[in-house]
Amino acid sequence: MKPSSTPVPADTTAQALDAKSGDVRDDKLLPVAIRIVSSAPQWVSGGDARIEVWAPPGLHDNLEIWINGRKTSQALVSRGLRLEGVVSGFIDGDNRLEVRLAHGLIVADSIRLTNHPIKGPMFSGPHQHPFVCTTNQFGLQPKIDSDTPAGYTVLGAGGTIAGYSRDCSIDSFVTYLYWASGNTWKLLPPGDTGPADMTQITLADGTTVDFIVRREVGTINRFLYSFAMLVPRGEDPAHPNMSLWNGRLGYYFGGGVGVGHSQGSVQSGSLEPEILKRGYAIAHSSGNVTNTHYNLQLAGETAMMTKERFIERYGVPAYTVGLGASGGAVAQYILAQNHPGILDAALPVQSYPDMVSQVTSVGDCELLEHYMDVTDRNNVRWQNVKNRTLLVGMNGEPLVTDPMSAIKPLLGLGGPSMTTGSTECVNGWRRAFPLVMNPWFGRAANSDNYVPQSDIVGPIPPAIQWTHFDDARNIYRLDADGFARHTWDNIGVQYGLMSMKEGSITPAEFLDLNFKVGGWKQPRDMVQEGYPVNPLVTLPMVVADPALFDPWSRRNMTLAPAEDLPAPRTEGNLEAMRAAYTSGLVFSGHMPLPTIDSRQYLEREVNMHNAHQSFAIRQRVLKRMGTSDHLVIWFTDTMPGVVPKADKNLVVVDVMAQWMANIRAHPFLGIARNRPADAVDSCFDVEGKLIASGSTVWDGILDNKPKGACTLAFPLFSTSRIVAGAPLEGGVYKCALKSADTALQDGTYAPWAPDPASVAKLKQIFPQGVCDYSRPDQGRP
């Protein structure tokens, strides 16, 4: 799906009798072409579409639009050699759209199309239920679509139950907002006199206008959508005045981590004033917020349907650029890979290549923290939080406090390994893995009004399995016990391998770690979380029962059954892994768009947005596409406690605007050769001032060249799997295995030469073999 505002009509050359309708068609005499511009023909939704018809101007008044053999009265607007407009009346399923002449006797051109309901789905599979409505964000109740539960309770007069909503639909509505001098949006009051606190903005052409936006809100694919753009005062909502729109569309993607069963919320980025004041329109959907869900197949479908609606309402944008950070950055990479044409450019911030392969190392975090805190608690090495990086790969900082450090001594968990500092595992990722993996942990916001409610203590299996894997059960599918199949696997993973090879930990520590670290129970065997992960467990409850203290989710680990036996590892499901690949949840490196990947450097704060991820993305792109000249990486430095933090989030918008202007002016040069001077790898200091830029500034990260200026200024950390020998780009669900004997012979442990007792222990730990990262991911189809 790649709508274009300047298509070339295809002249047909055959004269034929249409077999179905019997109408005469003479394309040789009638150079007429019809095209859908709001979506691909197979992905029409809501019963309507924006179309254009190319024909000589003299024919325009004689053209008729027919749908499924019936003439429609819908008129198109004549614009030179083409007519354009929105036509409606498609039925769900297959349709035929025709342009006819001679009072309907001659079919000049036709298109077969497939229409889908506006509430979806198109290709994402059966709707998820329960599905909690959040239309109360706009003070509305959803439409009743069921007289009986299950569903979201809709109240009538006097607070009585009028019915239930399973799909959370509302009618679309338009409001007008103005940007007030207090830096906030306010509803525009009726009348010709503007409020005293209304601000004004100066447009690119020097015109000064009131800062007023039209906002349209409704539901598409069961999620809430928002369209916003600058408008002059006093327009008719039924006939939008687009004179202040510069033709550019920003599609905003929200971040966070959610596990579905909720309509989600429209995010504040849907009204970003700095984007709107530049003349951009902003499109957004709560279904494109990863805090709502992380099923990016469903999110891709939602973005397709939402942009289709925007085009039907306002026309084809000059280009669409992705906006968003963290999960909103992941969404841009995945959408560009899976659905070409939705975005024309990408501006990901604080990026990861994808979430689903990130989960692999995140799942190691608590296993390794538990090993250092509890299993190996007498080892003073772990008292220095910087040494914990030798296992987890991520940074650790003594000045970032582990919030549990004050509680551990009270429960007898101090020990020589006690540290008050924190790694990124603790500060950034605690609670994340239970949310992804544990079916008992989680809850949809606003669920109190859903009948029946899902109780997080409830029956076995739980009524709702609160995991990423179950949220995307249409992709991963269920196992024989009714639990979603998962991808997490650590068979053969040699934790701490590279640190041992470098001499940073001893061979004895390496063996002990891998003997005792263990893995995770299968979801069917997991139980509810303890303190502080489970918010229903309070500190007074822990004081009364110290067994409730479990920041590592120890209760759901597979620890050693006896001192002389290694702790069992966890095996993921190969079918689930392959489904993640084939569904497009894994970023393969296919990124065909001009992209500026921008991030604040937050390693000193052990923030979860670790900086090496930008280069994991670049490495995947290099492997898939052979070049990354169209992928620019910018870093801006930060310091803990220094606010506001400089960023380049708006600068990149302006640089990308120039890049897109160059592409439109010189399309034959391609993407890379149209880069403006500022669209190059760069890094900036804490004040946002340029440190260095150019093609060599990141040397030494993905190559063996001397370190570039930005590489030296911004030290990178890694992950537990990289420390275990995996490639920097990550994305290995299940490593290929080689026998311990092969590993001993091929230099895997060099310069360590294990003695016979160590060899025997290696074979005991890894009876199936150890990871061979020179071979492809065994989870890949």
Side-chain angles (χ1 to χ4, degrees), residues 147-164:
D147 293 330
T148 58
Y152 186 86
T153 303
V154 181
L155 301 179
T160 58
I161 296 177
Y164 301 88

Side-chain angles (χ1 to χ4, degrees), residues 515-592:
F515 192 89
K516 298 174 181 177
V517 68
W520 294 104
K521 295 177 182 177
Q522 295 297 330
R524 62 179 174 271
D525 299 322
M526 287 187 168
V527 296
Q528 185 55 274
E529 301 294 328
Y531 182 85
V533 180
N534 184 350
L536 298 183
V537 181
T538 63
L539 187 57
M541 295 166 65
V542 174
V543 173
D545 182 4
L548 294 174
F549 182 73
D550 190 6
W552 320 274
S553 195
R554 170 190 172 97
R555 64 195 61 203
N556 289 314
M557 293 177 183
T558 55
L559 300 175
E563 288 188 6
D564 59 342
L565 294 175
R569 299 296 183 95
T570 301
E571 188 161 14
N573 184 283
L574 282 172
E575 302 301 325
M577 297 174 197
R578 290 164 184 162
Y581 277 106
T582 57
S583 66
L585 295 186
V586 179
F587 178 60
S588 69
H590 180 67
M591 183 61 183

Side-chain angles (χ1 to χ4, degrees), residues 364-671:
D364 293 336
C365 269
E366 297 299 6
L367 295 176
L368 295 169
E369 292 286 342
H370 175 263
Y371 174 81
M372 293 181 283
D373 277 345
V374 179
T375 308
D376 200 33
R377 60 185 290 195
N378 292 321
N379 189 342
V380 296
R381 183 187 297 281
W382 313 126
Q383 188 178 56
N384 181 345
V385 73
K386 287 290 187 183
N387 286 338
R388 295 187 172 219
T389 297
L390 300 174
L391 303 188
V392 301
M394 304 171 186
N395 190 29
E397 287 290 339
L399 297 180
V400 179
T401 303
D402 176 354
M404 295 296 101
S405 61
I407 301 173
K408 291 175 185 176
L410 301 177
L411 301 174
L413 293 171
S417 69
M418 178 68 183
T419 177
T420 58
S422 177
T423 65
E424 183 189 321
C425 274
V426 172
N427 190 62
W429 294 106
R430 183 146 284 169
R431 293 184 175 88
F433 195 66
L435 186 62
V436 170
M437 189 78 162
N438 187 346
W440 298 101
F441 179 68
R443 189 178 176 90
N446 211 33
S447 61
D448 289 345
N449 292 325
Y450 194 92
V451 178
Q453 293 183 28
S454 170
D455 190 84
I456 63 174
V457 178
I460 297 176
I464 301 176
Q465 296 177 37
W466 296 100
T467 70
H468 159 71
F469 299 104
D470 190 79
D471 181 37
R473 62 164 59 189
N474 292 342
I475 296 172
Y476 296 111
R477 306 299 182 186
L478 304 182
D479 63 20
D481 296 318
F483 287 82
R485 303 183 306 195
H486 71 88
T487 62
W488 199 84
D489 188 289
N490 71 342
I491 301 295
V493 176
Q494 300 189 89
Y495 293 109
L497 175 64
M498 305 311 292
S499 295
M500 185 274 291
K501 287 169 65 68
E502 294 165 359
S504 300
I505 64 174
T506 67
E509 290 173 322
F510 166 74
L511 290 171
D512 187 72
L513 165 66
N514 283 285
F515 192 89
K516 298 174 181 177
V517 68
W520 294 104
K521 295 177 182 177
Q522 295 297 330
R524 62 179 174 271
D525 299 322
M526 287 187 168
V527 296
Q528 185 55 274
E529 301 294 328
Y531 182 85
V533 180
N534 184 350
L536 298 183
V537 181
T538 63
L539 187 57
M541 295 166 65
V542 174
V543 173
D545 182 4
L548 294 174
F549 182 73
D550 190 6
W552 320 274
S553 195
R554 170 190 172 97
R555 64 195 61 203
N556 289 314
M557 293 177 183
T558 55
L559 300 175
E563 288 188 6
D564 59 342
L565 294 175
R569 299 296 183 95
T570 301
E571 188 161 14
N573 184 283
L574 282 172
E575 302 301 325
M577 297 174 197
R578 290 164 184 162
Y581 277 106
T582 57
S583 66
L585 295 186
V586 179
F587 178 60
S588 69
H590 180 67
M591 183 61 183
L593 308 181
T595 305
I596 303 176
D597 187 298
S598 176
R599 71 171 61 244
Q600 293 175 321
Y601 181 77
L602 301 172
E603 298 289 1
R604 299 181 190 91
E605 300 175 35
V606 290
N607 183 277
M608 68 192 307
H609 300 98
N610 49 79
H612 94 276
Q613 301 290 351
S614 292
F615 299 97
I617 291 165
R618 172 167 282 178
Q619 184 69 355
R620 293 193 195 188
V621 172
L622 282 167
K623 284 189 172 183
R624 175 66 184 270
M625 305 187 70
T627 179
S628 65
D629 289 346
H630 58 295
L631 170 59
V632 175
I633 296 177
W634 284 13
F635 276 22
T636 302
D637 205 359
T638 68
M639 292 296 290
V642 176
V643 292
K645 298 182 187 295
D647 65 51
K648 295 294 175 181
N649 296 350
L650 295 172
V651 176
V652 295
V653 172
D654 297 332
V655 173
M656 183 57 74
Q658 183 59 58
W659 198 345
M660 293 303 295
N662 292 351
I663 291 172
R664 290 171 66 84
H666 310 288
F668 57 89
L669 292 178
I671 295 176

Side-chain angles (χ1 to χ4, degrees), residues 345-366:
L347 295 174
V349 177
Q350 305 299 121
S351 62
Y352 305 94
D354 55 55
M355 187 278 280
V356 292
S357 56
Q358 179 75 10
V359 165
T360 303
S361 56
V362 170
D364 293 336
C365 269
E366 297 299 6

